[in-house]
Amino acid sequence: MSIQKSYNLTQIKVFELLKTRKFGLTGKEVTARQKKYGQNSLPEGHRASRLILLLNQFKSSLVYILLGAAGISLLLESFVDMYVILSAVIVNVIVGYVQESRAMKAMEKLRRIVQFQALVVRNGEEKNINVKDLVPGDIVVLEPGYKIPADIRFFDTVNLRINEARLTGESHPVTKTTKPLTGDLVLADRTNMGFMGTVVVGGSGRGVVCQTGTETELGQIAQMIKDTKEEKTPLQERLSSLSKLLGGMILLICLFIFAFGYFAGHGFLEMFTTSVAIAVAAIPEGLAVAVTVILAIGMQRILKHKALVRKLVAAETLGSTTVICTDKTGTLTEGEMKVVRVITNNQDFETHEDKFRTHLKETGASFIKALEIGVLCNDAHIENEYSDIKDWVIFGNPTEKALILAGSQVGLNRSNLEKVTPRIDTVPFTSERKFMMTLHHDKKDNKVIYLKGAPEKVLEMSDSIDVDGKIEKLTPAKLEKLKKRYELLSNKGLRIIALAYRSRAIDFTKMIESPGLYEQFVFVGFMGIKDPLRKETKETIDLCKKSGIKIVMITGDHKLTAQAIANELGLPAKAENVLEGAEMSKMNNTQLQERVKKISVYARVTPKDKLRIVDAWQAIGEVVAMTGDGVNDAPALRAADIGVAVGSGTDIAKETASLIILDDNFKTIVEAVRQGRVVFDNIRKVVLYLLSDSFSEVIMISVSLLLGFPLPLLAAQILWINLVTDGFPDIALTLEPPEKAVMEEPPIRRDEPIVNNEMKILIGVISLVTGLVTLGLFYFFYKATDDLDLARTIAFVSVGIDSLLYVFSCRSLRTSIFKKNPFSNIYLII
């Protein structure tokens, strides 16, 4: 009985299909439907027990190798070394457990969005019921402040306005209608529907429940979150590959040495101990601790730039980001509507960056009159009017707030104006009228009507034009000129408001009742309103381009508005670069993947569209960061390699995301990417340092066995060097300051290993030279003194000291050691 696309149907057809009526369902009908459809609640996510969650943290190749090393240390009775290795494992397990347990809260946050009570009509009576007890066919009553408890089709509205930002991303309240709509529409365009979890901000209405629980739009999003699996991060994949490579190499080397020595006549126990020593030598025990420290330091550095990393491994993933899919409103833009153009009869003023006052000498009376009308014909309310303008708290729709602020810039104080020109009556704005009128007493106690609304409507109602205080006839030529102006500005992405007044005597009540009398107004001007770009946004996008990062803008705006913003940002904005949600819905996944590289702007998208965009980029091997703030963004945030929630967003977005931008600023995302690249840089430096040292020891022991020498180092000495002697330098490397060139290079490919070819050559050269030189010293002292303990002590000290020297060459993989300031990392010096 739950019906889809009810926005296309007439009220009569909806009632007929749902088998209901305006006075509601009977108790018997409700009981039957509750049995059939179940509770009106969101799906419960699968909750793993705390023990299972803890055990899952051990599923890592690196952890397996470390546990093996701890076991070997136990066999060798090196208890201190065993405790140190196990401590490294425990640190990693605890961090992973804490992060995953936080992620489990996401579904619970989503469920809390739905209110617990709903006002319904049953058996002809209004009653409050538990929201879980709603069924398809119930009649819901809505007032300001109510949350909509299910997906409903409206059949009665009075200036009903609903904030759907949590679901659609649209920042403006949507005025609702009762008329059937045509076509396959995205959520933001279904103006006769109300959606679970959205909030009534004005007016009143009634609707019939069409979908409940998992069938609602919010329920489908919850299901997507539940079904969406988080992919491994590039760092997790790289560490896993490195661990498997090391594990395989160590096993092969150990088997070869054991077999070679045993068949050469050495005893079984001796060769087993030797093989164990080689295994211990090859395992970089300090790597897990160093990586954890690097990630933690990266998180702290990112936090200083007003971004909070929720998942430890995400700190590095940022550095691998190749595509940033970003919301427009509040991230690329300031998130607040402002008047940026004022156009009168023959003048056009750009008023951005608070330059109103500088225009006053250039402007005439029409400019001031337009601003005055905008302030007075306005229902926005200033809570703290006598505070500084920057501290004002204004309640009202974004357009009217912008008009209030524009007037305040030239000293038009709302309270002062209303004392001189008090309001008597109002014709409120509706989507059908497309305008608002207010009746006032003027300074001479005459009545004057102020009008603001859609340009085409206001011009239709005007027969004159104000030319700096003089009233002239609005000729067809002037009218055509004005129409071209506002159409041109609309195409540039501005929201255009027209302003007019009428001072001729008329009965306002009679005028309200007779729409045919809406005429004889004096047109004053247009105001162009938009959400301006943040000052640093364009510069930041240019930096992304230089860094090889693709920027994709995703917005709920219409196509033309989105194109205008993209042009202003310098993003590709031709027809082939822009894709609307309706067009995307007709594509299959393969077709989208073929086009995704060309698309830089997505307009009028749905939550499913965002998820498909992420999947399409990932399918072609890209590392994707996706920004979002609403419930509708949660599935895409979870699926992305880096989900980025803005600080002003919903709790569910923050709980699902890997990174939270505390200042809602796009520049902060890019700074976080910079720090992510630094994190990966430092991980590579530590890996280079530790593997060079480990394989120096492998070469020493392997060659000594092949030449028939005694073991130059004991297993306990090797562990001491790897964990203690090398521990302090590798921790100092984790604090290596960023290199300037880090954002001048393309992003690290997802499939690029931690140890690239250049590093392999360096590890080979360093290991061979230090290993053979140390073995030479060992052999010299052993032959000269015939004291094996002394020779091993010399080798032990030599390996410990040479690693303190070549660590300086590991500080940069780009420049020579002689070009680096040796004192820029004071911790390494210490």
Coordinates of all heavy atoms in Angstrom, one line a residue, residues 660-704:
I660 N 37.1 16.2 10.1 CA 36.1 17.2 10.3 C 36.8 18.6 10.2 O 37.8 18.9 10.9 CB 35.5 17.1 11.7 CG1 34.8 15.7 11.9 CG2 34.5 18.2 12.0 CD1 34.4 15.4 13.3
I661 N 36.3 19.4 9.3 CA 36.8 20.7 9.0 C 36.1 21.7 10.0 O 35.0 21.9 9.9 CB 36.6 21.2 7.6 CG1 37.3 20.2 6.6 CG2 37.2 22.6 7.3 CD1 38.8 20.0 6.8
L662 N 36.9 22.2 11.0 CA 36.3 22.9 12.1 C 35.8 24.3 11.6 O 34.9 24.9 12.3 CB 37.2 23.0 13.2 CG 37.7 21.7 13.8 CD1 38.7 21.9 14.9 CD2 36.5 20.9 14.3
D663 N 36.4 24.9 10.6 CA 36.0 26.2 10.1 C 35.3 26.2 8.8 O 35.0 27.3 8.2 CB 37.3 27.1 10.0 CG 38.3 26.6 9.0 OD1 38.0 25.5 8.4 OD2 39.3 27.3 8.7
D664 N 34.8 25.0 8.3 CA 34.0 24.9 7.1 C 34.7 25.5 5.9 O 34.0 25.8 4.9 CB 32.6 25.6 7.3 CG 31.8 25.0 8.3 OD1 32.3 24.1 9.1 OD2 30.6 25.3 8.4
N665 N 36.0 25.6 5.9 CA 36.7 26.3 4.8 C 37.5 25.3 3.9 O 38.2 24.4 4.4 CB 37.8 27.2 5.5 CG 38.3 28.3 4.5 OD1 38.3 28.0 3.3 ND2 38.7 29.4 5.0
F666 N 37.3 25.5 2.6 CA 37.9 24.6 1.6 C 39.5 24.7 1.8 O 40.2 23.7 1.6 CB 37.5 25.0 0.2 CG 38.1 24.2 -0.9 CD1 37.7 22.9 -1.1 CD2 39.2 24.6 -1.7 CE1 38.2 22.1 -2.1 CE2 39.7 23.8 -2.7 CZ 39.3 22.6 -2.9
K667 N 40.0 25.8 2.1 CA 41.4 26.0 2.2 C 42.0 25.0 3.3 O 43.1 24.5 3.2 CB 41.8 27.4 2.6 CG 43.3 27.7 2.7 CD 43.6 29.1 3.1 CE 45.1 29.3 3.2 NZ 45.4 30.7 3.6
T668 N 41.2 24.8 4.3 CA 41.6 23.9 5.4 C 41.7 22.4 4.9 O 42.6 21.7 5.3 CB 40.6 23.9 6.6 OG1 40.5 25.3 7.0 CG2 41.0 23.1 7.8
I669 N 40.9 22.0 4.0 CA 41.0 20.7 3.4 C 42.3 20.5 2.7 O 43.0 19.5 2.9 CB 39.8 20.4 2.4 CG1 38.4 20.6 3.1 CG2 39.9 19.0 1.8 CD1 37.3 20.5 2.2
V670 N 42.7 21.5 1.9 CA 43.9 21.5 1.1 C 45.1 21.5 2.1 O 46.1 20.8 1.8 CB 44.0 22.6 0.1 CG1 45.2 22.6 -0.7 CG2 42.8 22.5 -0.9
E671 N 45.0 22.3 3.1 CA 46.1 22.3 4.1 C 46.3 20.9 4.8 O 47.4 20.4 5.0 CB 45.9 23.3 5.2 CG 47.0 23.5 6.1 CD 48.3 23.9 5.4 OE1 48.4 24.7 4.6 OE2 49.4 23.2 5.8
A672 N 45.1 20.2 5.0 CA 45.1 18.9 5.6 C 45.8 17.9 4.6 O 46.5 17.0 5.0 CB 43.7 18.4 5.9
V673 N 45.5 18.1 3.3 CA 46.1 17.3 2.2 C 47.7 17.5 2.3 O 48.4 16.5 2.2 CB 45.6 17.6 0.9 CG1 46.4 17.0 -0.2 CG2 44.1 17.2 0.7
R674 N 48.1 18.7 2.4 CA 49.5 19.0 2.5 C 50.2 18.2 3.7 O 51.2 17.6 3.5 CB 49.8 20.5 2.7 CG 51.3 20.9 2.8 CD 51.4 22.3 3.5 NE 50.8 23.3 2.8 CZ 51.4 24.0 1.8 NH1 52.6 23.7 1.4 NH2 50.7 25.0 1.2
Q675 N 49.5 18.3 4.8 CA 50.0 17.6 6.0 C 50.0 16.1 5.8 O 50.9 15.4 6.3 CB 49.3 18.0 7.3 CG 49.4 19.4 7.7 CD 50.8 19.8 7.9 OE1 51.6 19.0 8.4 NE2 51.2 21.1 7.6
G676 N 49.0 15.6 5.1 CA 48.9 14.2 4.7 C 50.1 13.7 3.9 O 50.7 12.6 4.1
R677 N 50.5 14.6 3.0 CA 51.7 14.3 2.1 C 53.0 14.3 3.0 O 53.9 13.4 2.8 CB 51.8 15.3 1.0 CG 50.7 15.2 0.0 CD 51.0 16.1 -1.2 NE 50.0 15.9 -2.3 CZ 50.1 16.4 -3.5 NH1 51.2 17.1 -3.8 NH2 49.2 16.1 -4.4
V678 N 53.0 15.2 4.0 CA 54.2 15.2 4.9 C 54.2 13.9 5.7 O 55.3 13.3 5.9 CB 54.1 16.4 5.8 CG1 55.2 16.3 6.9 CG2 54.2 17.7 5.0
V679 N 53.1 13.4 6.1 CA 53.0 12.2 6.9 C 53.6 11.0 6.0 O 54.4 10.2 6.5 CB 51.5 11.9 7.3 CG1 51.4 10.4 7.7 CG2 51.1 12.8 8.4
F680 N 53.1 10.9 4.8 CA 53.6 9.8 3.9 C 55.1 10.0 3.7 O 55.9 9.0 3.7 CB 52.9 9.8 2.6 CG 53.2 8.7 1.7 CD1 52.9 7.4 2.1 CD2 54.0 8.8 0.5 CE1 53.2 6.3 1.3 CE2 54.3 7.8 -0.3 CZ 54.0 6.5 0.1
D681 N 55.6 11.2 3.5 CA 57.0 11.5 3.3 C 57.8 10.9 4.5 O 58.8 10.2 4.3 CB 57.2 13.0 3.2 CG 57.6 13.4 1.8 OD1 57.4 12.6 0.9 OD2 58.1 14.5 1.7
N682 N 57.3 11.2 5.7 CA 58.1 10.8 6.9 C 58.0 9.3 7.1 O 58.9 8.7 7.7 CB 57.5 11.6 8.1 CG 58.0 13.1 8.1 OD1 58.8 13.5 7.3 ND2 57.4 13.9 9.0
I683 N 56.9 8.7 6.8 CA 56.8 7.3 6.9 C 57.9 6.6 6.0 O 58.6 5.7 6.3 CB 55.4 6.8 6.5 CG1 54.4 7.1 7.6 CG2 55.4 5.2 6.3 CD1 52.9 6.8 7.3
R684 N 58.0 7.2 4.7 CA 59.0 6.6 3.8 C 60.4 6.8 4.4 O 61.2 5.9 4.2 CB 58.9 7.3 2.5 CG 57.9 6.7 1.5 CD 58.0 7.3 0.1 NE 57.4 6.3 -0.8 CZ 57.1 6.6 -2.1 NH1 57.4 7.8 -2.5 NH2 56.6 5.7 -2.9
K685 N 60.7 7.9 5.0 CA 62.0 8.2 5.5 C 62.3 7.2 6.6 O 63.4 6.6 6.7 CB 62.1 9.6 6.1 CG 62.0 10.7 5.0 CD 61.8 12.1 5.5 CE 61.6 13.1 4.4 NZ 61.3 14.4 5.0
V686 N 61.3 6.9 7.5 CA 61.6 6.0 8.6 C 61.7 4.5 8.0 O 62.6 3.8 8.5 CB 60.4 6.0 9.6 CG1 60.4 4.8 10.6 CG2 60.4 7.3 10.4
V687 N 60.9 4.2 7.0 CA 61.1 2.8 6.4 C 62.4 2.7 5.8 O 63.1 1.6 6.0 CB 60.0 2.6 5.4 CG1 60.2 1.4 4.5 CG2 58.6 2.5 6.1
L688 N 62.9 3.7 5.1 CA 64.2 3.7 4.5 C 65.3 3.5 5.5 O 66.2 2.6 5.4 CB 64.5 5.0 3.7 CG 65.9 5.2 3.2 CD1 66.3 4.1 2.2 CD2 66.0 6.6 2.6
Y689 N 65.2 4.2 6.6 CA 66.2 4.1 7.7 C 66.2 2.8 8.4 O 67.2 2.1 8.5 CB 65.9 5.2 8.7 CG 66.8 5.2 9.9 CD1 68.1 5.3 9.9 CD2 66.2 4.9 11.2 CE1 68.9 5.3 11.0 CE2 67.0 4.8 12.3 CZ 68.3 5.0 12.2 OH 69.1 4.9 13.4
L690 N 65.0 2.3 8.7 CA 64.9 1.0 9.5 C 65.3 -0.2 8.6 O 66.0 -1.1 9.1 CB 63.5 0.8 10.1 CG 63.1 1.8 11.2 CD1 61.7 1.6 11.6 CD2 64.1 1.7 12.4
L691 N 64.8 -0.2 7.4 CA 65.1 -1.3 6.5 C 66.6 -1.4 6.1 O 67.2 -2.5 6.0 CB 64.3 -1.3 5.2 CG 62.8 -1.6 5.4 CD1 62.1 -1.7 4.1 CD2 62.6 -2.9 6.2
S692 N 67.2 -0.2 5.9 CA 68.6 -0.2 5.6 C 69.4 -0.8 6.8 O 70.4 -1.6 6.6 CB 69.1 1.3 5.4 OG 68.5 1.9 4.3
D693 N 69.0 -0.5 8.0 CA 69.7 -1.0 9.2 C 69.4 -2.5 9.3 O 70.4 -3.3 9.6 CB 69.2 -0.3 10.4 CG 70.1 -0.5 11.6 OD1 71.4 -0.4 11.4 OD2 69.6 -0.8 12.7
S694 N 68.2 -2.9 9.1 CA 67.8 -4.3 9.3 C 68.6 -5.2 8.3 O 69.1 -6.3 8.6 CB 66.3 -4.5 9.1 OG 65.6 -3.9 10.2
F695 N 68.6 -4.7 7.0 CA 69.3 -5.6 6.0 C 70.8 -5.5 6.1 O 71.5 -6.4 5.6 CB 68.7 -5.2 4.6 CG 67.4 -5.8 4.3 CD1 66.2 -5.2 4.6 CD2 67.3 -7.1 3.9 CE1 65.0 -5.7 4.3 CE2 66.1 -7.7 3.6 CZ 64.9 -7.1 3.9
S696 N 71.3 -4.5 6.7 CA 72.8 -4.5 7.0 C 73.1 -5.7 7.9 O 74.1 -6.4 7.7 CB 73.2 -3.2 7.8 OG 73.0 -2.1 7.0
E697 N 72.2 -5.9 8.9 CA 72.4 -7.0 9.8 C 72.2 -8.4 9.1 O 73.0 -9.3 9.4 CB 71.5 -6.9 11.0 CG 71.7 -5.6 11.8 CD 70.5 -5.1 12.6 OE1 69.5 -5.8 12.5 OE2 70.6 -4.0 13.2
V698 N 71.3 -8.4 8.2 CA 71.0 -9.7 7.4 C 72.2 -10.0 6.6 O 72.7 -11.2 6.6 CB 69.8 -9.5 6.5 CG1 69.7 -10.7 5.6 CG2 68.5 -9.4 7.4
I699 N 72.8 -9.0 5.9 CA 74.0 -9.2 5.1 C 75.2 -9.7 6.0 O 75.9 -10.6 5.6 CB 74.3 -7.9 4.3 CG1 73.3 -7.7 3.2 CG2 75.8 -8.0 3.7 CD1 73.4 -6.4 2.5
M700 N 75.4 -9.0 7.1 CA 76.5 -9.4 8.0 C 76.4 -10.9 8.4 O 77.3 -11.7 8.2 CB 76.4 -8.6 9.3 CG 76.9 -7.2 9.2 SD 76.6 -6.3 10.7 CE 77.5 -7.4 11.9
I701 N 75.2 -11.3 8.8 CA 75.0 -12.7 9.3 C 75.1 -13.7 8.2 O 75.7 -14.8 8.3 CB 73.7 -12.8 10.1 CG1 73.8 -12.0 11.4 CG2 73.4 -14.2 10.5 CD1 72.6 -11.9 12.2
S702 N 74.4 -13.4 7.1 CA 74.4 -14.3 5.9 C 75.8 -14.5 5.4 O 76.2 -15.7 5.1 CB 73.5 -13.7 4.8 OG 72.2 -13.5 5.3
V703 N 76.5 -13.4 5.2 CA 77.9 -13.6 4.6 C 78.8 -14.3 5.6 O 79.7 -15.1 5.2 CB 78.5 -12.2 4.3 CG1 79.9 -12.3 3.8 CG2 77.7 -11.5 3.1
S704 N 78.7 -14.0 6.9 CA 79.5 -14.7 7.9 C 79.3 -16.2 7.9 O 80.2 -17.0 8.1 CB 79.3 -14.1 9.3 OG 78.0 -14.4 9.8

